[in-house]
Amino acid sequence: GNLPYQALARQQRWLEEVIRALPVPLAFADLRTRGVVLASAEGERLLDLSDSGAASEHAPSAKAAFASIIERVAGGERCEGEERAVTTRSGDRVTVLCSARRLPQLYGHDATLLVVFLDVSGLKKAQAELQAALNAREEFLSVASHELRTPLTALALQLDNMVRSSQRHPERIDAEWLSTRVGTLQRQAGRLTLLVNGLLDLSRIEEGRIELDLEPLELGELAAQVALRCEHEAKAAGCEVRVEAGVPAHGRWDRSR
C-alpha cells in the first residue's frame, strides 16, 4: 500500500535535485512563513542561505532584496525584470535582474513564491565600457572637426588675401611673395592631410584592419621634422617649439602615425 507514496517521494526528491542543479539562481518561498523552502545551488550561493548575508552602505544583501520582493509580491505587487544592485557574502557588488511568480496552493502544498535572479554584472560592465568607448570617439570627432575647421579657415583667408593683393597691387607679386604664401598654403594642406588620415585610421581601427607602414627611423630626428612643420604656426602664436633628444632611439616605426 506504500508503493505509490514511495514512488511520489522518489519523484519529489528527483525534482528537488533537478532544481538544485539548475545553473540559475532561483528560490521558492513559503508565502505564509516567508521562509525559503527550496533553492538551486546558485540561488543558495547568491542568497547566502547559510548566513545572515552581507550588506554595504550602497547595496543591500541579496537575502534582504529577496525578502523585500517576497513582501511586495505577497501584497499583490508585480516583480518582472527588476534591476537591483546587491552585495554578496564575500562583499562583491553585483547587478541582478529579479522576477517573481506567485504559485497557488496545489496538491497539498501551500502557496509559494518563485523568485529568479539573473546576474547581469558582466553585461553592465561591457555596456559601461562600450559607452566609454563611444564617448571617447565622440570627443575625438568633436576635437577633429574643430581642428579641421581651423586649417580650412586659414586656407580660405590666405587664398582670399592672395586674390585681394594680386588685384590691388599686381606690381608687388614676385617669386618671393608667391613662395612665402604658397609655402603657408602647403603647410595648411599638409595639416589637413594628417587630420584626415587620423580620421581614416580611427575608422580602420574600429574595423580591425589598420596596417602600419614600418621603416627604419630615429625618433629624435622624426620629432625634429614634426617640430619644423609646426614652426610657422608656433611663431604666429608667439610660441617656441624646441626638440631636445638625448640618446638616439632607433627602430622600425610608421612615420605618419
Side-chain angles (χ1 to χ4, degrees):
N2 293 330
L3 288 178
Y5 296 101
Q6 292 174 357
L8 285 174
R10 287 195 299 270
Q11 188 73 9
Q12 181 174 344
R13 288 196 298 271
W14 175 82
L15 183 59
E16 290 176 354
E17 290 303 317
V18 169
I19 291 174
R20 290 192 177 95
L22 290 174
V24 178
L26 60 85
F28 294 87
D30 189 310
L31 284 176
R32 182 174 52 84
T33 65
R34 306 296 198 259
V36 176
V37 295
L38 182 62
S40 66
E42 289 296 317
E44 291 180 349
R45 180 188 62 79
L46 179 65
L47 297 174
D48 195 21
L49 298 179
S50 62
D51 191 82
S52 59
S56 73
E57 180 183 352
H58 305 289
S61 68
K63 181 183 286 187
F66 179 70
S68 172
I69 291 172
I70 292 176
E71 292 298 327
R72 288 174 47 209
V73 177
E77 294 185 34
R78 289 176 56 85
C79 179
E80 187 71 37
E82 187 175 295
E83 183 176 314
R84 288 190 174 223
V86 298
T87 305
T88 63
R89 182 181 182 182
S90 61
D92 296 329
R93 179 170 174 168
V94 297
T95 302
V96 295
L97 294 181
C98 313
S99 295
R101 289 287 187 278
R102 184 168 180 166
L103 306 179
Q105 181 178 356
L106 289 172
Y107 307 111
H109 291 278
D110 293 333
T112 56
L113 182 70
L114 170 62
V115 182
V116 181
F117 297 91
L118 179 62
D119 188 345
V120 293
S121 302
L123 180 61
K124 296 290 286 185
K125 181 181 179 182
Q127 186 180 29
E129 291 175 350
L130 176 60
Q131 187 60 52
L134 290 174
N135 291 341
R137 186 180 68 172
E138 290 301 320
E139 182 180 359
F140 172 81
L141 292 176
S142 176
V143 172
S145 63
H146 173 74
E147 291 296 322
L148 281 169
R149 282 195 299 268
T150 302
L152 280 173
T153 302
L155 274 172
L157 290 174
Q158 288 285 344
L159 289 171
D160 185 65
N161 182 53
M162 289 180 67
V163 171
R164 289 173 181 272
S165 297
S166 64
Q167 291 175 345
R168 294 176 180 176
H169 307 286
E171 71 281 356
R172 296 182 182 178
I173 298 176
D174 54 21
E176 183 180 354
W177 185 89
L178 283 174
S179 177
T180 300
R181 281 151 181 78
V182 170
T184 301
L185 295 176
Q186 286 177 331
R187 283 190 292 271
Q188 297 292 351
R191 186 179 176 188
L192 275 173
T193 300
L194 290 174
L195 288 171
V196 171
N197 286 339
L199 290 173
L200 291 174
D201 281 349
L202 176 63
S203 176
R204 294 189 186 105
I205 289 172
E206 289 181 338
E207 295 173 3
R209 58 184 185 88
I210 185 72
E211 294 183 3
L212 299 179
D213 184 15
L214 302 179
E215 60 177 305
L217 290 174
E218 199 280 302
L219 288 184
E221 179 183 347
L222 180 60
Q225 294 174 5
V226 173
L228 185 61
R229 287 203 299 266
C230 300
E231 184 178 14
H232 181 78
E233 288 82 359
K235 286 183 178 179
C239 301
E240 179 185 2
V241 178
R242 184 174 56 214
V243 176
E244 296 181 357
V247 179
H250 294 280
R252 291 179 58 80
W253 321 97
D254 189 319
R255 182 183 295 274
S256 63
R257 297 183 178 90

